[in-house]
Amino acid sequence: MSRTRILAAALTAAVAIGVISPKVIAYATYAKWGTLSVDFYINPVNADVTQAAATAALQAGMNVWNTQSGTAFRFNYAGRVDDTTTSYDNRNVILFRNVNNGSTIASTYAWSTNGVLVDSDTVFWDGGFAFFTGSSGCGGGGAAYIEDVAAHEFGHALGLQHSTVPDATMAPSYSTCSQTQRTLEADDIAAVQSLYFKTEAGGATQPPTSGGGTSADGTPRQHGSSTARGRSKR
């Protein structure tokens, strides 16, 4: 079995981001699930918001892709767990860790076999930044909305790498307290539809069963990282 690690990287405190034509396609992918329904568990324990608020915000990040991608792919909230580590255990988990990981806001790790994803975990690095939820109240250095960071990380969990379109959800940079990543851009939608197919009027096509971008020898491979310019993370 191949093992792929994605370091899904530091959202950066970017200055004003320019507008890119929807026709610009700049996405990249590395693998895909062999099913259109993937469960994720949550350990909501964190240093910044209530566990209920964290859970709701992470579910909102899932729903960005569930409702805006134009595919039949669905992330499902499978319940709360107490996991504090990442591992290949056939259970997809998202958790917070009270550790400062430099400019990295969150890291997504994935395991795959012949290009088909079989496990994915995400860690939010809670030691050096302040997380907020909702659409107000966020402020200060190193501040970010969980919903937006989660939307980006769930994109990695889908099999997407970073996009070079600066206003895409999968762009590697993030402005402090930005709420833009919770809305998919044309490049994000094109990326996910390249893996899971566009939903047609009569229903979706069959689930994908193969993909690419993984190592054959099980060596972890980094699929993208970015640095914080101004101390806001992802």
Side-chain angles (χ1 to χ4, degrees):
M1 189 195 78
S2 300
R3 180 185 174 195
T4 301
R5 183 180 68 178
I6 310 158
L7 290 180
L11 286 180
T12 70
V15 211
I17 295 174
V19 176
I20 299 295
S21 166
K23 294 182 180 179
V24 174
I25 301 301
Y27 63 81
T29 64
Y30 69 92
K32 57 187 173 185
W33 295 93
T35 176
L36 292 175
S37 181
V38 174
D39 293 342
F40 258 85
Y41 296 87
I42 293 173
N43 181 345
V45 176
N46 70 95
D48 301 311
V49 301
T50 67
Q51 294 179 30
T55 299
L58 292 169
Q59 288 180 268
M62 294 182 193
N63 286 331
V64 166
W65 297 97
N66 290 350
T67 62
Q68 299 178 37
S69 70
T71 73
F73 184 93
R74 295 293 182 267
F75 285 118
N76 308 303
Y77 172 52
R80 176 177 170 174
V81 293
D82 296 323
D83 300 45
T84 58
T85 60
T86 62
S87 65
Y88 173 53
D89 56 5
N90 294 308
R91 181 162 75 171
N92 309 307
V93 178
I94 187 163
L95 57 94
F96 296 82
R97 189 170 292 164
N98 194 17
V99 173
N100 186 333
N101 196 25
S103 62
T104 303
I105 298 177
S107 300
T108 293
Y109 304 86
W111 293 261
S112 60
T113 300
N114 297 322
V116 178
L117 286 161
V118 292
D119 198 344
S120 180
D121 296 330
T122 296
V123 177
F124 277 61
W125 302 105
D126 203 13
F129 303 89
F131 285 113
F132 295 83
T133 62
S135 58
S136 63
C138 182
Y145 280 110
I146 292 175
E147 290 89 343
D148 296 86
V149 177
H152 179 95
E153 297 308 321
F154 278 116
H156 284 306
L158 278 166
L160 308 185
Q161 299 195 61
H162 286 147
S163 169
T164 59
V165 175
D167 54 354
T169 295
M170 295 312 298
S173 62
Y174 174 82
S175 301
T176 299
C177 296
S178 172
Q179 298 176 44
T180 61
Q181 262 84 3
R182 65 185 72 182
T183 302
L184 298 184
E185 296 294 332
D187 190 70
D188 303 306
I189 295 170
V192 68
Q193 289 183 358
S194 76
L195 295 177
Y196 302 103
F197 312 110
K198 182 179 180 179
T199 303
E200 305 296 341
T205 55
Q206 65 182 14
T209 56
S210 64
T214 58
S215 59
D217 59 0
T219 304
R221 182 180 300 162
Q222 181 173 329
H223 279 280
S225 66
S226 57
T227 56
R229 291 176 289 157
R231 295 287 295 170
S232 201
K233 55 177 179 177
R234 160 116 132 246

